Amino acid sequence: MSTLLSATDVVKHFRAGGGRAVQAVNGVSLEVVSGETLGVVGESGCGKSTLGRCLVRLTDLTSGTVEFQGQDITSLSRRRLRPLRPAMQLVFQDPYASLNPRRTAGDAVAEPLRIHGYGDAAAIRNRVAELFDLVGLARAHLDRYPHEFSGGQRQRIGIARAIALNPKLVVADEPVSALDVSVQAQVLNLFADLQEELGLTYVFIAHDLGVVRHVSDRIAVMYLGEVVEVAEAEELYAAPAHPYTNALLSAVPEIDDGSGTPRRERVVLTGDVPSPIDRPNGCSFHPRCPAAQALCRTERPALRSVAGRQVACHFPISPGSIAAE
Ligand SMILES: Nc1ncnc2c1ncn2[C@@H]1O[C@H](COP(=O)(O)OP(=O)(O)O)[C@@H](O)[C@H]1O
Ligand code: SF4
Ligand SMILES: [Mg+2]
């Protein structure tokens, strides 16, 4: 298993009023292995989209590095990035906002093919038809406009655009958040089918742990611009090590499977997510953490390996203690 993408200490700050900085992403390091799905979860505003854009260099980093297929792409110029673009694609949360209302679905899917010189008009037409088949859209709808499609179908158009040029990596930024629950499962299944068929690697962003659980091999949990825990999906759910992961998980409704396994104790987080302009000292989570101690207020915990996972906490929950409650 080889590393496809590797991010080291990625920082992205935006300028805010009064000369201050919005610390959207604050030193994220992670690796994405070829063929896997890495889920990225966290509350709204914690920097998921900004991180996703940094990973595919749709935005410049404030500092840190991103390597794609072993190549440092952190500071590549637009011109040098261009040949790499087809291999790294982003699927947006709101496909409607990313589609031109005056262009047909067929045109929208053809656009990346034209931009990257895929072939002549006939070759592009064939490829677009093939892509419609792949994402489960009817060829009869090639000439329809975005508003004539349902939300789920529009996301299929977005996915067809993203896979048009045979990418290696697809960063999907909350691709089902805007869809009805009944449609979400269909689109998630499409992602899974395409991964198998095309050998894709996904970074799958969501604010909802319920959604990422089913699609992810590993999950990275973000809080205020930092990754606080990374673990195999099943292990993360079975025994979260970071108090924030535990709180997030306790908010996910569980179905009683009749096994007699005690339900997770519900942890209610008090207080709002602090602003990324005014990050707390020490551990960013300390004002809301039920396990906070004096050290947490002064020293920022680094992401370190604990029991087969990575966790950024001075006092991680020992695996198993949750189930024993
Ligand atoms: N272009 C921008 N300019 C200024 N602030 C931004 C910009 N993009 C995002 N932010 C801020 O950065 C933080 C992280 O945003 P975002 O990455 O969109 O989080 P998420 O996707 O997890 O909701 C938020 O506080 C947001 O307001
Ligand atoms: S370092 Fe301290 S405040 Fe932060 S999550 Fe761990 S126990 Fe809570
Ligand atoms: Mg977002």
Side-chain angles (χ1 to χ4, degrees):
M1 296 235 267
S2 60
T3 301
L4 182 65
L5 184 90
S6 163
T8 310
D9 266 328
V10 171
V11 172
K12 178 68 186 186
H13 292 176
F14 297 104
R15 247 185 268 280
R20 299 200 297 173
V22 179
Q23 304 176 19
V25 176
N26 241 320
V28 167
S29 299
L30 49 81
E31 299 218 323
V32 186
V33 175
S34 283
E36 79 165 338
T37 298
L38 175 70
V40 175
V41 286
E43 289 162 288
S44 176
C46 72
K48 303 180 298 294
S49 295
T50 305
L51 175 65
R53 297 172 64 83
C54 287
L55 295 181
V56 295
R57 268 298 312 278
L58 277 178
T59 185
D60 291 338
L61 279 60
T62 302
S63 63
T65 55
V66 177
E67 282 183 19
F68 180 69
Q69 295 183 305
Q71 182 181 3
D72 187 342
I73 62 165
T74 319
S75 323
L76 290 186
S77 63
R78 301 235 166 278
R79 189 177 59 81
R80 305 257 322 269
L81 268 174
R82 199 180 144 92
L84 295 174
R85 283 268 163 248
M88 310 181 287
Q89 290 290 315
L90 201 114
V91 172
F92 298 92
Q93 173 173 353
D94 180 1
Y96 203 53
S98 60
L99 292 172
N100 183 334
R102 284 178 298 276
R103 302 187 71 177
T104 64
D107 265 347
V109 176
E111 190 182 14
L113 298 166
R114 285 199 198 101
I115 290 175
H116 287 276
Y118 181 82
D120 62 14
I124 288 177
R125 245 194 329 272
N126 286 339
R127 177 66 179 153
V128 170
E130 187 179 275
L131 286 162
F132 263 55
D133 295 346
L134 265 174
V135 301
L137 288 169
R139 290 185 182 199
H141 296 170
L142 276 163
D143 294 326
R144 289 195 179 180
Y145 290 88
H147 73 269
E148 298 177 275
F149 291 93
S150 68
Q153 288 171 325
R154 280 200 289 266
Q155 192 53 289
R156 288 174 195 267
I157 300 171
I159 294 167
R161 277 167 63 95
I163 63 169
L165 293 154
N166 288 316
K168 294 260 188 318
L169 175 73
V170 174
V171 174
D173 188 0
E174 304 211 34
V176 301
S177 299
L179 304 178
D180 290 344
V181 173
S182 58
V183 181
Q184 288 188 354
Q186 296 166 17
V187 174
L188 292 176
N189 285 338
L190 174 62
F191 272 99
D193 292 346
L194 291 173
Q195 180 166 49
E196 197 167 329
E197 212 163 317
L198 307 173
L200 297 171
T201 303
Y202 292 144
V203 172
F204 198 101
I205 297 172
H207 64 260
D208 176 350
L209 266 167
V211 166
V212 282
R213 174 174 197 169
H214 298 290
V215 295
S216 305
D217 298 301
R218 292 188 306 136
I219 295 176
V221 179
M222 283 187 77
Y223 187 77
L224 264 190
E226 293 166 20
V227 168
V228 296
E229 181 162 7
V230 186
E232 301 281 331
E234 286 315 312
E235 286 175 22
L236 188 95
Y237 281 84
H242 195 284
Y244 177 63
T245 313
N246 190 37
L248 267 187
L249 277 176
S250 77
V252 178
E254 276 187 288
I255 297 157
D256 187 354
D257 59 3
S259 67
T261 311
R263 290 174 62 86
R264 233 181 267 287
E265 191 174 324
R266 195 173 161 85
V267 183
V268 179
L269 287 181
T270 51
D272 296 328
V273 182
S275 156
I277 298 178
D278 271 318
R279 270 175 12 97
N281 288 330
C283 172
S284 303
F285 187 52
H286 87 252
R288 302 170 83 195
C289 180
Q293 301 187 30
L295 176 67
C296 307
R297 287 185 271 280
T298 53
E299 239 173 85
R300 177 177 164 178
L303 194 65
R304 62 195 167 101
S305 293
V306 176
R309 66 183 70 192
Q310 291 176 288
V311 58
C313 173
H314 296 305
F315 308 102
I317 302 163
S318 51
S321 73
I322 300 283
E325 272 172 357

